[in-house]
């Protein structure tokens, strides 16, 4: 459908309702339902949306260190524009029309910056534009692992998130048997996501009680991020309708594997007829462009780790022997390194970024992956780091990943590389939000501390 077709469809619809949304800095989908007429009226000039969405955290608590907005600015409206190209219908809500939106520049506020600098989708669109200007078509996809529980939001609160009932018991990865216990949910995921324009390449159980993994079909980079961002909320909404709560925490239980959000990436020519990562004349079929791309990602990774590991919990997943990388490494088809090259066929030759967890904001993680790869191409970096062989956890020749959000944020906040990739305004805003997240954490007293020290110390 072209834009006029979409407008005609909305005008002729029996329903007066339109739903639109966007992700905040944490990847949480925010939005509202509006009347059809308001939608039509706002297509040319956009809408006003309270910019508090860039001034609070996942619990709606205002930052005390924000510059983008805050009590100092009075939380005014910021301009948001609906992207008609994102039109889809919500199959589990009577096919209500749904659109994604992002924020466009507003007049400068003093003090502060306009919401565009904080908007993750706007950041990715800018980097995708840089990619296109370099003559490349970026093809991306994200895959997710997540745990499912036979709970409700209320039961989670009533139980204080303890003694939760997993959807199915036991460790049973790639099970044909387990999904049959919840076949209605399992098939709803595959079918309804497809109807919502998020087609899945595959869906299966992973190892762990009630854990699923889904790979989304690849697409142009911004559309791929749109699908990944919508996937997480869509899964939760479909789960609700089956009496299930889904979590995309990176590590909800210390004794179980974490949840990844691996990013698959390749660059093609502008006509999309040739995979520029593939060269049959070179070792491992890896083109020079692919080697530069990988070199850029490895070089930039320590400078931008919070983009791939944005929460306190992210770093509980990034531990040795837990199916998540801890070293700045690459390999050919090796699941213990940060970057994994898949190269058996031109159509599927790609780089898998394995640092990213299920808790990432897809726009930010994908923007970081693409920007750092383009950095390597732009600077013609050589891939001097040998491919890891065997256990990547022991290959520390090129360094290790930060072990906590505070250290990772400190590096990024002071990094000229991060500023070159994303701009000073975004880096300032994002690292302030990560600093806030860390400060909320260190004030808390954990169950572990109570059990360890309460009586004996």
């Amino acid at each position: 459908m072209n834009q006029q077709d979409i407008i005609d469809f909305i005008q002729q619809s029996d329903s007066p309702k339109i739903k639109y949304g966007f992700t905040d800095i944490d990847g949480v989908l925010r939005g509202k339902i509006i009347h059809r007429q308001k939608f039509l009226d706002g297509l040319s000039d956009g809408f006003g949306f309270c910019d508090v969405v860039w001034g609070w955290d996942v619990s709606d608590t205002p930052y005390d260190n924000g510059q983008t907005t805050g009590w100092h600015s009075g939380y005014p409206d910021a301009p948001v524009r609906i992207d008609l190209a994102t039109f889809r219908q919500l199959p589990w809500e009577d096919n209500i029309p749904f659109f994604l939106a992002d924020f466009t520049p507003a007049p400068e506020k003093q003090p502060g910056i306009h919401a565009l600098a904080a908007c993750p989708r706007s950041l990715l669109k800018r980097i995708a534009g840089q990619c296109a200007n370099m003559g490349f078509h970026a093809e991306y996809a994200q895959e997710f692992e997540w745990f499912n529980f036979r709970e409700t939001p209320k039961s989670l609160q009533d139980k204080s998130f303890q003694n939760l009932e997993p959807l199915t018991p036991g460790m049973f990865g790639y099970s044909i048997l387990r999904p049959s216990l919840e076949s209605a949910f399992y098939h709803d995921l595959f079918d309804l996501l497809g109807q919502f324009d998020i087609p899945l390449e595959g869906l299966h159980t992973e190892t762990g009680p009630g854990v699923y993994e889904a790979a989304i079909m690849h697409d142009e980079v911004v559309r791929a991020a749109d699908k990944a961002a919508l996937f997480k909320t869509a899964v939760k909404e479909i789960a609700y309708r089956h009496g299930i709560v889904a979590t995309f925490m990176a590590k909800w239980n210390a004794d179980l594997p974490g949840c990844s959000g691996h990013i698959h990436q390749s660059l093609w020519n502008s006509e999309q007829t040739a995979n520029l990562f593939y060269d049959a004349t070179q070792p491992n079929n890896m083109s020079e462009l692919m080697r530069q791309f990988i070199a850029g990602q490895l070089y930039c990774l320590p400078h931008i780790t919070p983009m791939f590991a944005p929460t306190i919990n992210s770093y509980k997943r990034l531990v040795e022997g837990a199916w998540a990388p801890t070293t700045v490494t690459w390999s050919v088809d090796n699941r213990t390194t940060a970057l994994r090259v898949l190269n058996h066929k031109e159509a599927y030759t790609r780089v898998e970024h394995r640092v990213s967890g299920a808790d990432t904001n897809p726009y930010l993680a994908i923007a970081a992956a693409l920007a750092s790869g383009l950095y390597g191409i732009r600077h013609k970096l050589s891939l001097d780091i040998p491919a890891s062989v065997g256990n990547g956890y022991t290959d520390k020749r090129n360094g290790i990943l930060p072990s906590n959000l505070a250290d990772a944020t400190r590096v990024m906040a002071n990094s000229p590389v991060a500023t070159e990739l994303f701009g000073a305004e975004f880096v300032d805003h994002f690292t302030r939000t990560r600093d806030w997240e860390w400060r909320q954490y260190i004030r808390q007293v954990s169950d572990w501390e109570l059990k360890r020290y309460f009586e004996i110390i």
Side-chain angles (χ1 to χ4, degrees):
M1 298 174 72
N2 60 36
Q3 291 194 1
Q4 190 58 51
D5 290 336
I6 294 169
I7 293 170
D8 291 343
F9 179 87
I10 297 299
Q11 289 175 324
Q12 297 164 15
S13 172
D14 292 335
S15 172
K17 294 180 289 187
I18 308 292
K19 182 180 280 191
Y20 76 91
F22 54 87
T23 73
D24 64 14
I25 202 72
D26 289 289
V28 177
L29 199 66
R30 308 274 186 175
K32 60 175 71 173
I33 283 179
I34 59 176
H35 193 277
R36 172 174 50 213
Q37 192 57 53
K38 183 176 179 65
F39 167 83
L40 295 170
D41 291 344
L43 289 180
S44 58
D45 298 325
F47 309 91
F49 204 104
C50 180
D51 76 359
V52 71
V53 294
W54 308 115
W56 63 19
D57 64 12
V58 291
S59 67
D60 293 2
T61 303
Y63 301 127
D64 65 5
N65 61 347
Q67 294 296 314
T68 302
T69 189
W71 300 117
H72 62 276
S73 65
Y75 297 109
D77 280 352
V80 63
R81 290 184 182 275
I82 285 175
D83 186 342
L84 287 179
T86 65
F87 170 64
R88 62 231 313 139
Q89 293 174 271
L90 285 161
W92 54 89
E93 286 190 17
D94 300 322
N95 284 317
I96 294 174
F98 179 90
F99 296 86
L100 281 164
D102 47 54
F103 283 70
T104 51
E108 291 292 335
K109 303 187 295 292
Q110 292 296 331
I113 58 175
H114 57 66
L116 173 65
C119 177
R121 191 171 190 265
S122 296
L123 176 70
L124 177 58
K125 286 167 63 178
R126 176 160 56 85
I127 293 169
Q130 296 171 2
C131 182
N133 290 337
M134 294 172 71
F136 307 132
H137 168 87
E139 195 76 5
Y140 271 65
Q142 196 163 8
E143 60 179 85
F144 290 101
E145 299 165 347
W146 75 97
F147 280 80
N148 299 285
F149 296 91
R150 204 178 304 280
E151 302 287 349
T152 66
K154 184 177 186 304
S155 72
L156 293 177
Q157 296 289 337
D158 291 345
K159 292 181 174 183
S160 298
F161 297 89
Q162 301 295 316
N163 301 314
L164 306 181
E165 181 183 354
L167 184 62
T168 54
M171 312 288 278
F172 206 160
Y174 301 105
S175 172
I176 295 297
L177 181 62
R178 281 290 183 259
S180 66
L181 284 171
E182 300 292 337
S183 60
F185 174 51
Y186 193 69
H187 289 286
D188 262 2
L189 285 171
F190 197 95
D191 297 340
L192 294 177
L193 287 167
Q195 294 171 36
F196 194 46
D197 192 25
I198 308 177
L200 299 185
E201 183 180 274
L203 175 66
H204 62 86
T205 65
E206 255 294 353
T207 182
V211 61
Y212 286 176
E213 178 177 350
I216 304 171
M217 295 284 283
H218 60 84
D219 205 335
E220 180 275 329
V221 64
V222 176
R223 281 182 50 81
D226 287 342
K227 291 176 179 179
L230 290 175
F231 173 87
K232 294 170 70 173
T233 297
V235 165
K236 293 174 184 178
E237 292 190 10
I238 294 168
Y240 280 165
R241 284 153 177 77
H242 291 269
I244 296 166
V245 170
T247 180
F248 288 84
M249 279 185 68
K251 186 92 165 178
W252 85 271
N253 186 302
D255 299 323
L256 294 171
C259 293
S260 72
H262 299 157
I263 302 167
H264 295 260
Q265 43 192 350
S266 60
L267 295 182
W268 294 65
N269 62 1
S270 57
E271 296 82 16
Q272 302 177 46
T273 57
N275 186 340
L276 301 179
F277 280 179
Y278 186 85
D279 186 342
T281 69
Q282 296 300 313
N284 295 315
N285 298 326
M286 293 170 59
S287 70
E288 180 61 23
L289 190 84
M290 185 188 205
R291 296 177 67 84
Q292 291 174 349
F293 188 89
I294 292 172
Q297 291 198 325
L298 292 176
Y299 178 79
C300 295
L301 180 55
H303 296 267
I304 59 174
T305 302
M307 303 281 275
F308 302 107
T311 72
I312 300 297
N313 186 249
S314 301
Y315 298 83
K316 307 296 177 68
R317 167 180 165 264
L318 300 174
V319 295
E320 291 189 8
W323 298 101
T326 59
T327 54
V328 183
T329 47
W330 74 278
S331 67
V332 176
D333 199 9
N334 183 330
R335 288 182 168 86
T336 67
T337 57
L339 303 180
R340 173 182 173 229
V341 171
L342 295 154
N343 60 353
H344 66 285
K345 187 177 181 181
E346 179 179 358
Y348 299 107
T349 293
R350 62 196 187 275
V351 180
E352 179 187 30
H353 203 301
R354 295 181 58 82
V355 180
S356 180
D359 59 343
T360 51
N361 181 329
Y363 294 112
L364 298 187
I366 290 176
L370 179 57
S372 57
L374 294 178
Y375 180 95
I377 295 171
R378 191 178 295 114
H379 291 273
K380 300 186 184 305
L381 298 185
S382 297
L383 185 56
D384 298 325
I385 304 166
S388 297
V389 178
N391 187 352
Y393 293 116
T394 63
D395 186 356
K396 301 178 182 179
R397 290 172 292 181
N398 199 47
I400 61 175
L401 298 176
S403 62
N404 61 72
L405 183 59
D407 290 345
T409 298
R410 192 176 304 112
V411 170
M412 184 173 177
N414 295 294
S415 169
V417 173
T419 298
E420 180 179 340
L421 295 179
F422 311 120
E425 288 183 334
F426 173 81
V427 172
D428 179 72
H429 174 73
F430 180 66
T431 55
R432 285 174 183 271
T433 70
R434 297 311 92 191
D435 174 70
W436 163 269
E437 194 75 8
W438 175 258
R439 287 187 290 117
Q440 305 320 293
Y441 168 68
I442 59 175
R443 295 167 50 195
Q444 304 304 311
V445 177
S446 68
D447 289 346
W448 184 89
E449 292 168 276
L450 290 173
K451 293 174 183 177
R452 191 169 185 87
Y453 304 127
F454 190 90
E455 179 189 8
I456 202 69
I457 200 72

